[in-house]
Amino acid sequence: MEFTALFLAVTVVMLVAWRGSRSLTLALSAVVLIACVATYLHHATDTLKLSF
């Protein structure tokens, strides 16, 4: 679900970059980048439950 939200957020940033102002695009890009890094860190720090 969060990956779908990130994909839609990136799509919105691209549409704003195409039609909107530069400062709004940079601000939204920074927010999306922080969200992507937070999602990565959330999944990278999960412990795997492996049974051999």
Side-chain angles (χ1 to χ4, degrees), residues 1 4-6 8-12 15-16 18-19 21-24 26 30-34 39 44 46 49-51:
M1 180 71 182
T4 303
L6 288 174
L8 290 175
V10 169
T11 304
V12 168
L15 289 173
V16 169
W18 188 25
R19 293 283 187 185
S21 67
R22 181 177 180 180
S23 60
L24 179 61
L26 289 174
V31 169
V32 171
L33 179 65
I34 290 169
T39 302
D46 282 347
K49 296 172 183 72
L50 300 175
S51 61

